[in-house]
Amino acid sequence: MYPVVLDLTRLPVALVGSAGAVLGRLAGLDAAGASAVTVFCREPDSALSAAAGARLAPRHPDAGDLSRVRVLLVCGLQDGPASELAAAARAIGILVNVEDRRQWCDFHLPSIIRRGDLAIAVSTDGQSPGLARRVRRFIESQIGPEWASRVAEIAERRSAWRASGRDSATVARLTDEFIDRRGWLP
């Protein structure tokens, strides 16, 4: 696998599955700023209905629905429907992730720590989501909420350095020096 960060403000997503599983994934998509998510769940509960709102379709996607998305996330479905959806999506060039079914995935979802625009992803290439979750919790204990403002602060500095005509190597050096002066990292 090759780690990639997808800009979900630009890619339409279909999220399909059982209510409880979909609710958790939807929260992650919303936190990532996904702007075009359609939620497909045949039996949504009140929590999912409230979270999804107008994005909810109480059914599974058909070929027309799939043709309008670029990413398909499937969670909490039985193997038969999950594999059929994955095959249909892959046949038309959609990136697919089926939770806990590595053989049907084009990508895996890492365990993520968010601190504003700082996102730290922990992955075991789908081998052990439980281990990734534990490592994420450890890193969360080390990287607190103050990192959101730190990212914003360094981003302002970086923009100013770039605007003044400094090259990439100089900006990298200035960034390291700034971090060291602030004592943010050992």
Side-chain angles (χ1 to χ4, degrees):
M1 289 289 170
Y2 188 79
V4 174
V5 177
L6 295 176
D7 182 354
L8 295 181
T9 65
R10 300 169 17 143
L11 297 173
V13 177
L15 176 57
V16 185
S18 65
V22 167
L23 184 60
R25 288 283 181 238
L26 181 59
L29 290 169
D30 288 344
S35 60
V37 178
T38 305
V39 178
F40 295 91
C41 180
R42 287 186 174 161
E43 297 178 12
D45 59 18
S46 59
L48 179 58
S49 295
R55 301 176 292 178
L56 180 62
R59 57 184 174 77
H60 283 181
D62 59 25
D65 297 318
L66 291 176
S67 72
R68 291 186 287 278
V69 301
R70 303 281 302 280
V71 178
L72 173 67
L73 301 175
V74 179
C75 50
L77 287 185
Q78 296 294 321
D79 282 356
S83 69
E84 289 170 15
L85 279 169
R90 190 168 291 111
I92 58 174
I94 296 170
L95 291 174
V96 176
N97 174 272
V98 179
E99 183 178 65
D100 291 333
R101 299 297 184 267
R102 199 164 187 262
Q103 68 273 23
W104 300 326
C105 294
D106 296 316
F107 65 98
H108 302 290
L109 300 175
S111 193
I112 299 173
I113 302 153
R114 291 193 188 281
R115 302 292 189 250
D117 287 332
L118 176 64
I120 302 170
V122 179
S123 175
T124 59
D125 196 17
Q127 298 296 319
S128 178
L131 175 60
R133 189 172 40 256
R134 290 284 303 269
V135 171
R136 183 204 74 220
R137 281 191 230 138
F138 172 75
I139 295 170
E140 282 176 328
S141 73
Q142 306 299 307
I143 305 291
E146 69 278 3
W147 281 90
S149 61
R150 290 176 179 178
V151 170
E153 186 177 352
I154 198 80
E156 287 179 29
R157 300 277 180 166
R158 183 178 182 278
S159 291
W161 295 328
R162 296 296 293 178
S164 71
R166 294 197 167 100
D167 64 20
S168 295
T170 302
V171 170
R173 181 182 53 76
L174 290 170
T175 299
D176 283 340
E177 290 171 0
F178 184 81
I179 292 167
D180 290 344
R181 275 194 313 276
R182 296 288 194 174
W184 289 350
L185 294 170

